[in-house]
Amino acid sequence: MTEQQLREQMVTLARSMFERGYATGGAGNLSLKLPNGHFLATPTGSSFGRLDADRLSVVDIDGNHISGDRPSKEVAFHLAIYRNNSACNAIVHLHSTYLTALSCLQGLDTDNAIKPFTPYFVMRIGKLPVIPYLRPGDPRIAEELAKRAADYRAFLLANHGPVVTGSNLTDAVDNAEELEETAKLALMLDGKSIRYLSEEEITDLQGRGK
Ligand SMILES: O=C(O)[C@@H](O)C(=O)COP(=O)(O)O
Ligand SMILES: [Zn+2]
């Protein structure tokens, strides 16, 4: 896809998430890798419902602002993931309701906040590690994500929300939506007797992709 097509795709997918309630107000941010090696990101403070393709931010791998409006304050953690995972070409950060609710619970398994009970979670996400709470924009979020970026496709920022990667922006958005619905189910099922997937069933799914 050309840079112009990628700009328009970011605007379209962001609006779609906004209209379906995955993003509200000015929360969340998106980025993707451009064909010239730079990164397209949502401007800081922007609403997913009202992005302008011509004003999206462009930064280089060191975070230098190349063009467009001032980039998201979280661009450093997006770049930390790209630097450490060459399979990642797009990133979605949301404050979606169910994942954010999950991120506020005490006693989460920090290696994997959602114990698998549906195949698609295993196929699309695998495991969801929890990053200790840091205030939004804190540069240490980038350090924490850099340590784990090579091994995971999504992360849960404690008391904040999810960070989800993909092979392109459509894939990252699909992964984020799947993860949000999985968190909704996990909270709906809380306290009920769940039949979790067995280790054998999880291993069988891991070899199959999505
Ligand atoms: O939670 C926050 O403040 C940020 O992580 C966020 O979601 C929005 O920040 P910007 O991308 O700078 O608007
Ligand atoms: Zn945020």
Side-chain angles (χ1 to χ4, degrees), residues 23-102:
T24 51
N29 32 72
L30 304 172
S31 69
L32 59 80
K33 209 183 272 183
L34 287 167
N36 67 2
H38 289 158
F39 298 86
L40 191 65
T42 49
T44 190
S46 56
S47 163
F48 277 25
R50 295 186 295 272
L51 293 178
D52 178 341
D54 296 331
R55 297 182 61 170
L56 295 173
S57 316
V58 175
V59 296
D60 68 15
I61 188 66
D62 298 318
N64 297 307
H65 184 194
I66 307 290
S67 64
D69 287 351
R70 191 153 64 91
S72 167
K73 64 173 156 314
E74 307 292 20
V75 81
F77 83 54
H78 289 241
L79 295 172
I81 296 173
Y82 292 119
R83 264 188 227 107
N84 290 283
N85 183 351
S86 58
C88 171
N89 294 311
I91 298 172
V92 174
H93 164 56
L94 299 172
H95 296 178
S96 49
T97 308
Y98 291 93
L99 281 162
T100 303
L102 185 70

Side-chain angles (χ1 to χ4, degrees), residues 141-160:
I141 302 177
E143 291 168 23
E144 293 292 332
L145 289 172
K147 283 190 251 172
R148 298 167 177 84
D151 299 320
Y152 300 95
R153 281 172 266 174
F155 315 86
L156 191 62
L157 306 179
N159 303 85
H160 185 167

Side-chain angles (χ1 to χ4, degrees), residues 110-195:
T110 55
D111 289 329
N112 185 15
I114 301 180
K115 190 172 168 183
F117 53 84
T118 57
Y120 223 38
F121 170 69
V122 179
M123 292 155 77
R124 279 204 164 267
I125 304 295
K127 285 187 169 180
L128 182 65
V130 182
I131 307 299
Y133 174 75
L134 291 160
R135 68 159 173 75
D138 190 314
R140 289 172 294 178
I141 302 177
E143 291 168 23
E144 293 292 332
L145 289 172
K147 283 190 251 172
R148 298 167 177 84
D151 299 320
Y152 300 95
R153 281 172 266 174
F155 315 86
L156 191 62
L157 306 179
N159 303 85
H160 185 167
V163 178
V164 185
T165 68
S167 55
N168 54 49
L169 191 59
T170 311
D171 186 48
V173 168
D174 285 352
N175 287 343
E177 291 182 11
E178 176 63 27
L179 188 56
E180 173 67 4
E181 296 312 307
T182 305
K184 182 176 181 178
L185 290 171
L187 293 171
M188 277 172 69
L189 291 167
D190 189 38
K192 298 200 164 42
S193 178
I194 302 177
R195 191 194 85 84

